[in-house]
Amino acid sequence: MKKTFIASLWLLSLTIAFFAGKKQHNAPPAETIIMTHTDTVRVICPEVTAIYVRGETVERLPVAGDTAVTDSAEVIIPLSQTVYAAGSYKAYVSGYRPKLDSLVFTERHYETTRLVPKKTSRWSIGLQAGYGITPRGFQPFIGIGVSFRIYQF
């Protein structure tokens, strides 16, 4: 009778330890991160989308082949602004000696989902084996025990 009671108590304690220590297999919560990313765009032949006339200027141009000597005639040169666009950018270029006025990029947004690890408790109940104090003094034992995790990883 005593052995049956001890065996059933032992089986009950193992069952409780199993269900108390069983981890939940639920999906951990997810965290969404939105990142803004701007790429460098390389376009060999950009497409002209618009040309705006901004006025005119009068210049004396150099003689063909010799940049040190200028011609005596003044030339009227129209000043315009050209808009180039391709993909995710627009470039504004103006003047008869071209210069870049502005360069506008559209931004791309990426959404990344990252799983956040679930925090676990430092305390646990489980099956333990070792050497400890028993009713008969210091002896090896196997039983249910409470443990505390010192380092949390």
Side-chain angles (χ1 to χ4, degrees), residues 31-72:
E31 175 184 329
T32 302
I33 300 169
I34 298 175
M35 298 168 43
T36 303
H37 183 73
T38 306
D39 279 338
T40 301
V41 179
R42 295 183 189 270
V43 178
I44 304 301
C45 296
E47 187 177 311
V48 176
T49 57
I51 298 176
Y52 303 107
V53 177
R54 300 288 184 205
E56 54 188 36
T57 184
V58 178
E59 291 283 328
R60 289 187 178 201
L61 300 177
V63 177
D66 190 7
T67 57
V69 179
T70 59
D71 195 4
S72 61

Side-chain angles (χ1 to χ4, degrees), residues 89-100:
Y89 82 95
K90 276 188 178 182
Y92 296 88
V93 179
S94 67
Y96 80 96
R97 292 188 178 121
K99 70 177 177 102
L100 182 64

